[in-house]
Amino acid sequence: MQNNSSAPETAAISNACYHCGEDCGKVPITLDEKRFCCNGCKTVFEILSQSNACDYYRYEVHPGLKAVNPEVGSRYAYLDNEEIRRELLEFSEDGVSKVKLFIPAIHCSSCIWLLENLRRLHDGVMQSSVNFVKKEVIITFHDTTLSLRQLVELLVSINYIPQLTLETAGKGAKRKINRGIYYRLGVAGFCFGNIMLFSFPAYLSVNDAVENLLRQNFGILNILFGIPVAFYSGSVFIISAWKGLKKRFISIDVPIAIGILVLFFRSAYEIISGTGPGFMDSLAGLVFFLSIGRWYQDKTYQALSFERDYRSYFPVAVTVISDLGAESIIPIKKLKTGMRIMVRNQELVPADALLVKGIGSIDYSFVSGESSPVPKKEGERIFAGGRQAGASIELIVEREVAQSHLTELWNQDMTGGEKQTRWDSILDVISRYFTVMILVLSTVSGIFWWFYQPSMAFLVVTAILIVACPCALAMTYPFSMGGAMRVFGRNSFYLKRTGVVEALSKIDTIVFDKTGTITRNDGLGADFSALIISQDHLQHISSLVRHSTHPASVAIYRQLQGFEALPVTGFAEVPSRGIEGHVRGHFLKIGSAEFVTGSAAGSAGGSRVFVSVDGEAAGFIAISNHYREGMKEVLSELAQRYELHLLSGDNDAELPNLLAFFPSRNHLHFNQSPKDKLEYIRALKATGKKVLMIGDGLNDAGALRESDCGISIADDIYHFSPACDAILESGQFRHLPDFLGFSRTSMRIVFISMGLSFLYNVVGLSFAITGNLSPVVSAILMPLSSVTIVAFVTLSIFISARFSKLEVK
């Protein structure tokens, strides 16, 4: 059994439970020289120790919760019921299942570490990720070795008990309105007004007998009104501070709770003893304004969360087939249950659907992390997020597309977690040490004033505890980045996470793909004059290219769309080379000269797609490129600040035209395979470059993932690469320099707002330490600082977006 020597030794020598921190009593349970308050906590420790997962105790002291009734028996036997299991699972295919569970016990970094390392506890767990804000964990597991029931029982055994409700299974749970915050705010406001009224005799300082009697009686009333203020309206701060202290964590609520309790008991003592009027008015004002600040912060974060969950969607479309067989493209948000859709090779299935035509070979790596294709026959169900590998298939939509679900899949990124930005690290340090520094500062100041002017010591300490606010510091980065993401989203530029804004601001090198990126898919022309082929074979070509999403295939199919689609067998697509398949007994190959004829000869003189039928060369189709609107201006502006490169899987026929747009011939590379593009990005990064890769997500997924930031260009077809960090609607390509400039401006706003937050704390503390700030004014300034930062960020983002020529409404 592992002895976790790196864990804090204080747990071993004190009487606190090593796991949860509760007092172990007179007869503690011991194991490996560690004390536990109950067998439940000891059992959890044994499970973690046997699985080499005791790093759980490194991140926080006593991170666990007291284990209650660890024996589950048959409590979760109902999860073996197939109907219930199907309702709870978000995905289940080919021995791989995925479930999202709400676990209220998630509360600290140790919880995140343990739940994201569940695979250490059981080999059946493939991957798990935690949404700390929502207290949710998404787990992908092998259901052949670990059933859903066993998974839940595993979580219960380590005291992370999920709340299972079939009513919300597979659906987005509605946001519960937190009415308590309004009740506490109302009580604090009511009592504040009355306490101010009853404090008038003290304010007037009249010393006759009647006034003294009123002052005493009103003082008692102030105590009665102060009780609900301190212990109901202020309870949220006291409870939060107590929970943090039980976990050996000092949060920002600790000094606030100390201030509330000190104000109440000091005031009650003065009133009852007759030594003074007390500070109940300050207490009520303090709690009232703090409650306003807490309400405002809660509402603002909710608004930011809503914007991210429901407005961040995939700007793509899907091909719909009508009852008459006509194909049309509609926005994905208009997709309805019962519609018949077509999914081509390498396209994602946008919604849960039933396969009605064709043979499916579904790659679920986007959903489960497993890249092995799952074969599907007609009549079988296919889950949203699967990618077809092979000939196109037709499906009937069973469930309307959930854009929040697709966004969640994109954010999940099975290939790796989100990188922590530099600012995340800075804010972590601020949150960890700020409160400790304030407690030390208030103690030192209190000692000084106690010897210098004892009557001021209490007020100075309270003012320091209240006015110091790391909230404004902590809010600068998320609100600045969140505001920038909203502006980008309204301009059809969709970011995966807030850290992408920071990544964009640091870019110094931009690498472009050619076809489908700087060229317009809808502008590609196809000339068949050099094709020596019969009319029947033109129909065969049309049927074959119909299954491919490559821009050249789309252009050819658009020209030949009048032909009836014929069945295709043995369809295969080789990235950057071409496609092949059998159509009515004829074997066709369409693609580069090397792929079709085995020789690179004839590749110059224009972009050409070569064709062979049954092994015999049949000439080529000339593809005319049309560059995106404003490309010359865009590249000219970018070249002033960035180093520009081009990677293309096509031949160098377009080189003369491209030299007019790109400054350096040495940065233009052709006949690049997906692997070549990936290695090129790696080589640039090895020289210290900060690389932005812009592609269409077809043959450059590896390069998009390898770059510091990857942008996928989306046209009116269902192209999407999970590897990208952002999606740009093709119509907004001309705004690319504006987007990059705005990202740099957004980071400057972060610096400025951070400076303002530090300035507020420095000025506020200087007034509080010198005794020139009352607790009530401190309570007003604390939420006001957060309001000011949010207002500054919002206004700055709005003005900056206007100057960057971006839409903000």
Side-chain angles (χ1 to χ4, degrees):
M1 190 171 293
Q2 179 178 339
N3 186 1
N4 183 28
S5 59
S6 62
E9 295 298 328
T10 55
I13 61 176
S14 71
N15 202 42
C17 175
Y18 183 78
H19 177 70
C20 71
E22 295 283 348
D23 185 76
C24 293
K26 295 181 179 179
V27 188
I29 300 170
T30 59
L31 178 69
D32 288 352
E33 300 181 354
K34 296 173 176 62
R35 300 186 177 201
F36 300 93
C37 64
C38 63
N39 282 314
C41 289
K42 180 175 78 75
T43 301
V44 174
F45 171 77
E46 287 179 312
I47 292 172
L48 298 178
S49 182
Q50 290 168 3
S51 304
N52 294 321
C54 279
D55 284 348
Y56 171 66
Y57 298 100
R58 289 185 179 182
Y59 296 90
E60 303 282 346
V61 182
H62 313 306
L65 298 176
K66 185 177 179 66
V68 180
N69 191 18
E71 298 296 327
V72 295
S74 59
R75 188 192 314 171
Y76 297 103
Y78 67 92
L79 295 177
D80 290 330
N81 182 287
E82 183 59 29
E83 185 176 349
I84 294 176
R85 176 181 172 276
R86 194 183 309 118
E87 285 292 320
L88 288 171
L89 292 177
E90 292 197 340
F91 170 84
S92 184
E93 191 69 63
D94 199 35
V96 177
S97 294
K98 181 174 165 183
V99 66
K100 181 196 294 182
L101 299 171
F102 173 63
I103 302 179
I106 297 174
H107 69 283
C108 68
S109 57
S110 288
C111 299
I112 298 173
W113 182 89
L114 179 58
L115 291 173
E116 292 192 342
N117 285 273
L118 286 176
R119 60 186 180 277
R120 294 194 182 193
L121 306 186
H122 199 292
D123 293 337
V125 177
M126 299 169 56
Q127 193 265 356
S128 54
S129 60
V130 174
N131 184 322
F132 182 75
V133 176
K134 294 183 177 180
K135 297 186 182 296
E136 292 175 343
V137 58
I138 301 174
I139 304 172
T140 306
F141 59 99
H142 291 291
D143 55 24
T144 53
T145 58
L146 181 68
S147 67
L148 178 60
R149 175 184 175 180
Q150 291 171 328
L151 174 62
V152 171
E153 289 175 347
L154 172 65
L155 292 168
V156 173
S157 71
I158 56 176
N159 211 37
Y160 286 95
I161 304 172
Q163 285 189 4
L164 302 173
T165 55
L166 292 179
E167 290 80 4
T168 57
K171 305 173 184 176
K174 293 182 179 179
R175 184 183 298 275
K176 184 178 180 180
I177 298 176
N178 183 10
R179 299 186 184 278
I181 194 169
Y182 295 101
Y183 296 150
R184 288 189 291 270
L185 181 59
V187 169
F190 174 77
C191 294
F192 180 37
N194 282 277
I195 290 174
M196 290 286 287
L197 180 64
F198 293 141
S199 298
F200 262 101
Y203 298 151
L204 297 175
S205 300
V206 180
N207 290 318
D208 60 57
V210 175
E211 289 294 337
N212 288 332
L213 180 63
L214 286 175
R215 189 180 298 115
Q216 292 174 5
N217 291 333
F218 286 167
I220 298 300
L221 289 175
N222 281 344
I223 293 177
L224 295 178
F225 277 109
I227 291 174
V229 171
F231 300 104
Y232 175 67
S233 297
S235 63
V236 63
F237 304 101
I238 298 172
I239 293 172
S240 174
W242 174 245
K243 287 182 177 179
L245 290 173
K246 284 179 66 178
K247 299 298 177 184
R248 307 297 193 271
F249 175 73
I250 300 178
S251 68
I252 181 57
D253 289 331
V254 171
I256 294 176
I258 292 174
I260 291 173
L261 294 175
V262 171
L263 273 173
F264 177 80
F265 288 110
R266 171 68 184 267
S267 300
Y269 169 76
E270 288 191 2
I271 293 171
I272 294 173
S273 65
T275 57
F279 305 94
M280 286 298 177
D281 52 346
S282 298
L283 170 65
L286 167 67
V287 175
F288 177 64
F289 290 114
L290 286 177
S291 298
I292 291 177
R294 181 63 62 94
W295 164 81
Y296 179 78
Q297 183 175 318
D298 182 68
K299 293 293 290 183
T300 310
Y301 272 117
Q302 281 187 23
L304 186 64
S305 175
F306 178 87
E307 193 80 37
R308 180 62 185 143
D309 289 343
Y310 297 97
R311 292 200 176 187
S312 182
Y313 60 90
F314 296 127
V316 288
V318 64
T319 302
V320 175
I321 301 176
S322 69
D323 295 337
L324 299 176
E327 298 175 9
S328 60
I329 295 174
I330 65 170
I332 191 174
K333 62 184 178 181
K334 293 185 178 180
L335 194 61
K336 303 295 182 184
T337 302
M339 284 186 171
R340 190 183 186 103
I341 62 174
M342 181 173 71
V343 176
R344 300 181 178 88
N345 180 45
Q346 296 304 306
E347 287 185 343
L348 291 176
V349 177
D352 293 349
L354 196 69
L355 179 60
V356 294
K357 185 177 180 181
I359 299 175
S361 180
I362 308 300
D363 175 1
Y364 279 118
S365 59
F366 188 26
V367 183
S368 67
E370 289 289 299
S371 58
S372 300
V374 178
K376 287 291 181 179
K377 298 181 294 185
E378 293 181 8
E380 292 186 332
R381 188 186 189 196
I382 299 178
F383 288 92
R387 186 189 293 276
Q388 167 66 353
S392 61
I393 54 177
E394 295 181 14
L395 308 101
I396 298 294
V397 176
E398 285 191 327
R399 184 183 297 176
E400 290 184 18
V401 60
Q403 290 176 349
S404 58
H405 173 62
L406 294 176
T407 304
E408 181 182 277
L409 288 178
W410 186 27
N411 289 339
Q412 184 177 331
D413 191 4
M414 300 295 294
T415 59
E418 178 177 341
K419 296 179 180 178
Q420 189 184 47
T421 67
R422 179 169 57 93
W423 280 103
D424 289 330
S425 302
I426 292 173
L427 295 176
D428 286 344
V429 172
I430 291 173
S431 300
R432 184 174 301 175
Y433 296 110
F434 186 91
T435 304
V436 177
M437 291 168 55
I438 295 306
L439 290 175
V440 172
L441 184 62
S442 63
T443 302
V444 173
S445 301
I447 294 173
F448 169 80
W449 280 99
W450 181 261
F451 289 102
Y452 180 73
Q453 189 176 343
S455 61
M456 288 292 296
F458 166 72
L459 293 177
V460 168
V461 170
T462 306
I464 292 173
L465 291 174
I466 302 307
V467 75
C469 180
C471 301
L473 290 170
M475 291 168 68
T476 54
Y477 183 82
F479 276 89
S480 298
M481 297 298 97
M485 286 183 69
R486 285 196 294 271
V487 172
F488 284 140
R490 288 166 184 157
N491 289 271
S492 303
F493 184 37
Y494 305 91
L495 274 55
K496 188 174 188 177
R497 56 183 180 265
T498 55
V500 177
V501 182
E502 184 177 347
L504 286 171
S505 69
K506 297 177 180 179
I507 293 301
D508 56 29
T509 303
I510 303 177
V511 180
F512 291 93
D513 178 43
K514 184 176 78 71
T515 307
T517 301
I518 62 174
T519 61
R520 290 169 43 201
N521 286 334
D522 59 353
L524 294 179
D527 181 4
F528 299 88
S529 60
L531 202 60
I532 309 168
I533 206 167
S534 68
Q535 196 76 1
D536 288 340
H537 287 327
L538 279 178
Q539 185 178 15
H540 299 160
I541 292 174
S542 173
S543 300
L544 184 62
V545 297
R546 177 174 179 263
H547 298 273
S548 172
T549 56
H550 191 278
S553 297
V554 174
I556 295 171
Y557 180 65
R558 186 167 52 241
Q559 296 284 93
L560 301 175
Q561 203 166 6
F563 289 102
E564 179 185 355
L566 300 174
V568 175
T569 59
F571 176 87
E573 183 164 0
V574 181
S576 297
R577 298 193 67 196
I579 58 176
E580 61 184 23
H582 291 85
V583 185
R584 283 196 172 174
H586 295 283
F587 179 64
L588 279 76
K589 296 184 75 172
I590 304 174
S592 66
E594 184 180 1
F595 177 71
V596 174
T597 67
S599 171
S603 61
S607 296
R608 298 173 176 179
V609 176
F610 290 81
V611 179
S612 70
V613 180
D614 297 327
E616 296 291 331
F620 62 85
I621 304 170
I623 302 296
S624 57
N625 292 297
H626 291 268
Y627 294 102
R628 294 197 183 278
E629 180 183 354
M631 192 192 78
K632 184 175 182 179
E633 292 77 11
V634 168
L635 296 183
S636 176
E637 185 174 348
L638 292 176
Q640 298 175 20
R641 188 179 187 94
Y642 304 97
E643 187 176 283
L644 304 184
H645 299 251
L646 176 76
L647 300 178
S648 174
D650 295 338
N651 57 60
D652 60 357
E654 284 292 311
L655 178 59
N657 294 328
L658 291 169
L659 285 174
F661 304 126
F662 288 85
S664 174
R665 166 65 180 88
N666 295 330
H667 292 166
L668 305 181
H669 302 275
F670 302 90
N671 298 308
Q672 298 288 297
S673 68
K675 184 178 180 181
D676 293 334
K677 296 177 182 180
L678 172 62
E679 294 300 331
Y680 191 83
I681 297 296
R682 284 179 177 168
L684 286 175
K685 291 179 65 178
T687 63
K689 301 289 187 183
K690 296 295 183 181
V691 183
L692 168 63
M693 174 70 194
I694 305 178
D696 61 0
L698 286 177
N699 301 321
D700 43 31
L704 286 169
R705 180 177 286 112
E706 182 64 28
S707 62
D708 294 287
C709 186
I711 298 177
S712 178
I713 302 290
D715 276 296
D716 59 351
I717 51 178
Y718 199 74
H719 280 173
F720 172 69
S721 173
C724 68
D725 298 298
I727 305 170
L728 175 63
E729 280 191 358
S730 57
Q732 297 298 313
F733 180 81
R734 67 184 185 278
H735 286 301
L736 183 60
D738 301 326
F739 292 141
L740 295 175
F742 182 66
S743 68
R744 296 191 300 273
T745 303
S746 297
M747 290 310 301
R748 284 195 287 268
I749 291 173
V750 171
F751 281 107
I752 296 172
S753 57
M754 186 71 76
L756 290 175
S757 301
F758 273 114
L759 181 63
Y760 156 77
N761 280 281
V762 169
V763 174
L765 286 172
S766 64
F767 276 93
I769 292 171
T770 55
N772 295 313
L773 199 64
S774 70
V776 174
V777 176
S778 301
I780 296 174
L781 290 177
M782 183 182 178
L784 187 62
S785 67
S786 298
V787 173
T788 303
I789 288 298
V790 172
F792 170 77
V793 168
T794 302
L795 184 62
S796 299
I797 290 292
F798 178 86
I799 295 174
S800 300
R802 284 286 191 179
F803 273 105
S804 298
K805 298 173 286 187
L806 300 178
E807 181 64 46
V808 293
K809 293 183 179 179

